[in-house]
Amino acid sequence: MSIKIDLQKCVGCGKCLKVCPGNLIFKNCESKAFIKYPEECWGCTACLKECPVQAINYYLGVDIGGKGTYLNTKKEKNLLHWHIFKPNKVEIIITTNETEGNKY
Ligand code: SF4
Ligand code: SF4
């Protein structure tokens, strides 16, 4: 599991840099974010949840989502939409409510 940042989408806001617990994300000379040590990413998903433009894709790995499956997130008030993209172009959306996270 690791993330991949889409440089075309990144607007350089820096939010992902601030929340990564491993300080793995940096900015390049164009102020675009990139992950310097992808092998050290432990998949906490903090960075993609903060990205306002869905520039960070999180690759799930073969055992979870199948090869090539990735997800990103979109916030809508208290709702967090998890968009899962399968290699066969199928998109699955799972919505969680951040205010109800401790109910389970
Ligand atoms: S998923 Fe977590 S550990 Fe990996 S780069 Fe993002 S914030 Fe850092
Ligand atoms: S949060 Fe998204 S837009 Fe902001 S710097 Fe990171 S990748 Fe770029």
Side-chain angles (χ1 to χ4, degrees), residues 34-88:
F34 70 98
I35 181 162
K36 197 166 186 179
Y37 310 107
E39 69 281 3
E40 292 185 20
C41 168
W42 60 90
C44 71
T45 72
C47 57
L48 54 138
K49 286 191 277 192
E50 288 301 318
C51 182
V53 292
Q54 294 78 52
I56 306 178
N57 293 322
Y58 175 71
Y59 282 80
L60 293 169
V62 176
D63 50 343
I64 298 180
K67 191 177 179 187
T69 299
Y70 64 93
L71 64 81
N72 57 41
T73 61
K74 195 169 188 177
K75 269 189 185 165
E76 182 189 2
K77 295 183 181 171
N78 291 333
L79 301 179
L80 188 64
H81 304 295
W82 300 77
H83 292 254
I84 302 166
F85 301 91
K86 308 281 278 182
N88 60 2

Side-chain angles (χ1 to χ4, degrees), residues 5-7 9-17 19 25-27 31-34 47-56:
I5 300 175
D6 185 336
L7 297 182
K9 288 186 179 176
C10 174
V11 294
C13 71
K15 289 183 176 179
C16 56
L17 282 70
V19 298
I25 305 175
F26 295 80
K27 277 190 184 178
S31 269
K32 306 277 189 175
F34 70 98
C47 57
L48 54 138
K49 286 191 277 192
E50 288 301 318
C51 182
V53 292
Q54 294 78 52
I56 306 178

